[in-house]
Amino acid sequence: MSAATGIINIQRKLFEKTGRKTDAYYSEGQGALYVFMGEPLTVANVIYAASETELMIHAI
């Protein structure tokens, strides 16, 4: 399984919950940060953070 699959699955769940698309910022070994599409990556704009382990769990 890949982290990319986990990222996409989490994005899908966030869209279902909020009705808004997201951008994901991934760092290998660290995880991913999600912000609403078009928003800059700042601490205040992060709507969800997923660890590398969580990404692998959502990839299943």
Side-chain angles (χ1 to χ4, degrees), residues 4-59:
T5 303
I7 290 169
I8 292 168
N9 287 339
I10 291 172
Q11 280 186 302
R12 185 177 299 118
K13 289 178 183 181
L14 289 170
F15 179 75
E16 290 171 0
K17 185 176 180 181
T18 66
R20 293 178 66 183
K21 293 183 179 181
T22 57
D23 290 324
Y25 294 88
Y26 173 73
S27 178
E28 187 173 350
Q30 299 296 312
L33 299 173
Y34 296 85
V35 298
F36 288 122
M37 187 173 279
E39 297 289 328
L41 178 59
T42 65
V43 173
N45 289 341
V46 173
I47 60 165
Y48 192 77
S51 67
E52 188 79 14
T53 303
E54 184 177 357
L55 293 176
M56 292 304 156
I57 291 169
H58 284 280

